[in-house]
Amino acid sequence: MSEPKILILGAPGAGKGTQSDRIAETFDVEHVTTGDALRANKEMDIGYLDLKYDTPGEYMDRGELVPDEVVNEIVKTALDDADGYVLDGYPRNLDQAEYLDEITDLDVVLYLEVSEEELLQRLTGRRVDPETGENYHVEFDMPDDEDVRERLVQREDDTEDVARERIRVYEDNTAPVVERYEESGELVRIDGERPPDGVWEDVRATIEEAS
Ligand code: AP5
């Protein structure tokens, strides 16, 4: 396998973004993330689709899924442009999983397992540097630079109420996607409830084995 096509699954806060950054750098593939793509287009006018809300941001700030019509298009364009990739944040329901089957073949499907208590602690403690997009955590991982510390912000969907709703939406919509890949024999479970370096050892070994 020259340029691996990797899917990374996991609940909100499981560490998909953290591990995907390392995968992209080490295996020289694109990091395709629907969350970042949608955050960059939160105010995009989707009123012409005549859906519940007129912008992606209105779904995201409530912890709801952005409609498939919007997200499928973003993913198709990104995958068409990439030889190898790590796909993070998609598919989030069974319809999206079927669509993904139609547009690409996967080499590796990773699933980061983390308990709900730990997910909530990670999400509510996450802080983002608005200048670089880098993620930090108020307890586990704060920047040394005081200027950076002072400019950190909390994502609008990382408040406790919205984080709980995101986990509920995940259980309803995305847990069946995990089952689907388990049943097809593609899923590799990884214990995500360890420090990032420990998780990374297993992630890297799994991808190397499949290569
Ligand atoms: P998205 O941005 O994809 O959010 P998410 O899936 O909820 O994932 P997160 O980014 O919150 O978590 P992560 O697993 O990447 O963890 P991270 O590495 O950052 O989606 C946001 C919204 O967009 C959705 O709610 C929805 O509205 C919309 N959307 C996106 N995709 C969509 C789709 N396909 N269809 C419809 N709507 C869609 O880590 C979290 C924190 O934990 C950080 O602070 C990090 O420093 C820390 N951390 C990470 N790993 C560890 C570790 N091992 N130990 C300790 N701390 C750790």
Side-chain angles (χ1 to χ4, degrees), residues 10-19 33-36 38-39 56 59-61 63-68 71 75 88-93 96 118 122-123 125-127 135-137 140-141 155 157-158 166 192-197 199:
K16 303 182 297 294
T18 302
Q19 298 299 323
T33 152
T34 47
D36 285 357
L38 290 167
R39 265 185 292 284
Y59 294 90
M60 298 169 80
D61 291 347
E64 296 176 28
L65 295 184
V66 176
D68 294 352
V71 185
V75 171
D88 156 16
Y90 185 98
R92 266 181 145 91
N93 60 36
Q96 291 183 7
E118 172 82 11
R122 289 188 192 174
L123 291 171
R126 173 167 49 195
R127 297 293 180 273
N135 281 337
Y136 295 94
H137 193 281
F140 317 128
D141 176 27
R155 251 168 65 169
D157 60 352
D158 277 346
R166 287 162 61 201
E193 203 154 324
R194 294 171 292 165
D197 287 349
V199 179

Side-chain angles (χ1 to χ4, degrees), residues 71-188:
V71 185
N72 288 352
E73 192 57 35
I74 291 174
V75 171
K76 176 152 180 24
T77 306
L79 298 194
D80 281 350
D81 290 345
D83 289 331
Y85 56 77
V86 52
L87 179 57
D88 156 16
Y90 185 98
R92 266 181 145 91
N93 60 36
L94 288 170
D95 286 340
Q96 291 183 7
E98 273 170 33
Y99 183 70
L100 186 63
D101 272 355
E102 288 169 23
I103 61 171
T104 194
D105 292 316
L106 298 166
D107 297 309
V108 185
V109 181
L110 305 167
Y111 171 55
L112 303 180
E113 281 185 291
V114 177
S115 67
E116 182 166 342
E117 193 188 339
E118 172 82 11
L119 294 173
L120 272 174
Q121 200 185 9
R122 289 188 192 174
L123 291 171
T124 54
R126 173 167 49 195
R127 297 293 180 273
V128 184
D129 179 349
E131 287 191 14
T132 63
E134 193 78 27
N135 281 337
Y136 295 94
H137 193 281
V138 288
E139 282 170 47
F140 317 128
D141 176 27
M142 280 297 269
D144 295 331
D145 186 329
E146 198 179 324
D147 291 342
V148 178
R149 279 205 300 275
E150 279 174 8
R151 68 178 184 235
L152 295 180
V153 293
Q154 186 176 39
R155 251 168 65 169
E156 287 180 58
D157 60 352
D158 277 346
T159 57
E160 184 167 344
D161 284 354
V162 182
R164 281 188 191 280
E165 175 62 8
R166 287 162 61 201
I167 293 170
R168 192 195 64 73
V169 167
Y170 169 85
E171 288 299 336
D172 283 357
N173 295 272
T174 317
V177 173
V178 173
E179 273 171 40
R180 182 181 189 273
Y181 287 108
E182 179 117 89
E183 280 164 15
S184 69
E186 291 165 273
L187 195 81
V188 179

